[in-house]
Amino acid sequence: MDTIKILCVDDEESIESQMRQFFRRKIRTSECEFFYARNGVEAQDVLNSTPDIDIILSDINMLPKPIDMEDLGVTVEKAI
């Protein structure tokens, strides 16, 4: 199975550590490569340097927080 590349875009600093913690096992086993951007400009930079991103998780100011990580996991697995 190829490594799934995930880009998370969110301006809240705590979200990056939560996401990295949630995906840590998949990152460690190279099942997943994780990228993080704090705004649209950083996200565009990631996309320019890594155009084969598979999934983008983007904060659009309407996402409920705290994030239900179990629900997120199921959603990502379905997208893969």
Side-chain angles (χ1 to χ4, degrees), residues 48-65:
N48 287 338
S49 64
T50 313
D52 58 342
I53 294 288
D54 297 296
I55 298 173
I56 299 173
L57 305 173
S58 179
D59 178 8
I60 55 172
N61 294 328
M62 292 193 206
L63 296 169
K65 293 180 183 168

Side-chain angles (χ1 to χ4, degrees), residues 2 8 14-15 18 32 35 44 49 52-53 63-65 76:
D2 291 337
C8 180
S14 64
I15 298 299
Q18 289 176 14
C32 164
F35 300 85
Q44 189 62 55
S49 64
D52 58 342
I53 294 288
L63 296 169
K65 293 180 183 168
V76 168

